[in-house]
């Protein structure tokens, strides 16, 4: 699943008439690169959630056949935040662990490697954590071997990359389900139970959240 429903407010004015996943980087738009990486990892069935200017994404990608995949769309009348989006999309995701990628990250992480390893039986998922960018200097979580743990106080942790493999039960079993809520609180719940795993990645990663970061990426790719 690719998360692609956000309004991209920090990216304005570029996103006033174009959804962030359709912003161009070199010869392609951002979500094309995402889909190609997912396809190269051996995945051919993709769910994309859409809301803000979502009809443009649907029109551009269609059923996915142009890119060698099959796309199903999870439509939201308004953005439901990250966990709300997953809850809405559960009927499309099936019962097996699924890959989840934020639509606004650029990376060279080998997704096939993430899919090769099986999750521990009692684990809700595996997160890819990266070094902290300037806009998230303390990070989101810490690691204890391969278990994700809470980052406490001023201790520096790692930043969640927006790349993970999750079991549908992470959302289905969460006791505070509602229409709109963030994935971070669900991760915190799983961490308290000792049921979230992760690994650190030191390669290329960028959160393309502002026009300045988009231009930086464009400069690198040209």
């Amino acid at each position: 699943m690719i998360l692609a429903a956000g309004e991209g407010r920090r990216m304005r004015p570029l996103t006033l008439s174009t959804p962030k996943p359709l912003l161009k980087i070199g010869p392609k738009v951002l979500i094309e690169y995402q889909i190609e990486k997912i396809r190269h990892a051996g995945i051919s069935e993709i769910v994309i959630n859409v809301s803000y200017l979502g009809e443009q994404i649907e029109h551009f990608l269609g059923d996915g056949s142009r890119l060698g995949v099959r796309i199903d769309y999870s439509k939201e009348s308004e953005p439901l935040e990250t966990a709300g989006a997953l809850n809405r999309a559960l009927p499309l995701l099936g019962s097996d662990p699924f890959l989840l990628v934020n639509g606004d990250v650029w990376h060279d992480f080998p997704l096939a490697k993430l899919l090769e390893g099986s999750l521990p039986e009692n684990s809700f998922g595996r997160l890819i954590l990266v070094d902290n960018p300037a806009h998230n200097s303390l990070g989101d979580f810490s690691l204890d071997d391969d278990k994700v743990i809470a980052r406490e106080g001023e201790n520096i942790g790692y930043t969640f990359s927006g790349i993970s493999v999750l079991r549908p039960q992470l959302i289905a079993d969460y006791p505070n389900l509602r229409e709109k809520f963030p994935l971070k609180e669900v991760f915190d719940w799983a961490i308290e139970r000792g049921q979230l795993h992760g690994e650190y990645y030191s390669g290329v990663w960028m959160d393309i959240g502002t026009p300045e970061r988009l231009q930086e990426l464009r400069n690198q790719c040209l």
Side-chain angles (χ1 to χ4, degrees):
M1 181 169 177
I2 301 175
L3 293 172
E7 296 181 17
R9 294 184 180 184
R10 293 178 300 159
M11 194 67 83
R12 291 178 178 175
L14 300 179
T15 51
L16 289 175
S17 59
T18 302
K20 185 159 56 171
L22 296 188
L23 293 175
K24 293 204 74 173
I25 300 169
K28 303 173 186 176
V29 301
L30 177 57
I31 201 167
E32 283 183 287
Y33 291 102
Q34 299 278 17
I35 291 172
E36 288 177 355
K37 290 177 185 294
I38 291 170
R39 188 190 72 224
H40 290 157
I43 295 174
S44 60
E45 298 180 0
I46 299 175
V47 174
I48 301 175
N49 73 318
V50 293
S51 182
Y52 176 72
L53 301 178
E55 66 282 353
Q56 292 187 33
I57 298 174
E58 292 184 66
H59 178 75
F60 183 84
L61 296 175
D63 63 3
S65 56
R66 176 175 62 85
L67 295 172
V69 297
R70 190 191 81 192
I71 297 174
D72 287 317
Y73 295 96
S74 179
K75 300 181 182 182
E76 304 168 12
S77 58
E78 63 176 350
L80 299 179
E81 300 190 45
T82 45
L86 290 183
N87 191 34
R88 170 70 63 86
L90 279 183
L92 299 173
L93 292 171
S95 58
D96 294 327
F98 62 92
L99 175 71
L100 180 68
V101 180
N102 286 4
D104 58 356
V105 295
W106 180 270
H107 66 91
D108 67 355
F109 182 81
L111 296 175
K113 174 178 176 289
L114 182 60
L115 301 174
E116 287 169 2
S118 59
L119 289 173
E121 186 174 338
N122 70 337
S123 178
F124 280 122
R126 179 174 293 275
L127 312 187
I128 303 304
L129 305 179
V130 296
D131 289 321
N132 300 324
H135 61 273
N136 191 38
S137 59
L138 291 179
D140 303 312
F141 306 107
S142 294
L143 280 174
D144 180 10
D145 290 328
D146 70 339
K147 274 197 173 181
V148 179
I149 60 175
R151 182 193 63 76
E152 297 182 353
E154 295 300 306
N155 295 332
I156 295 176
Y158 300 103
T159 289
F160 174 46
S161 68
I163 303 167
S164 58
V165 166
L166 305 176
R167 294 189 194 276
Q169 289 82 2
L170 173 70
I171 299 297
D173 293 356
Y174 182 59
N176 193 21
L177 290 177
R178 50 204 192 274
E179 184 177 36
K180 181 188 296 187
F181 60 114
L183 198 48
K184 173 66 163 59
E185 74 175 53
V186 186
F187 286 160
D188 289 342
W189 169 77
I191 287 170
E192 289 177 1
R193 296 164 60 96
Q195 291 180 269
L196 198 62
H197 291 73
E199 62 183 87
Y200 166 72
Y201 181 63
S202 62
V204 173
W205 179 86
M206 181 185 295
D207 170 15
I208 314 164
T210 65
E212 293 76 20
R213 280 181 242 151
L214 177 66
Q215 188 57 50
E216 179 184 348
L217 181 59
R218 284 171 169 170
N219 293 340
Q220 292 176 11
C221 292
L222 293 179

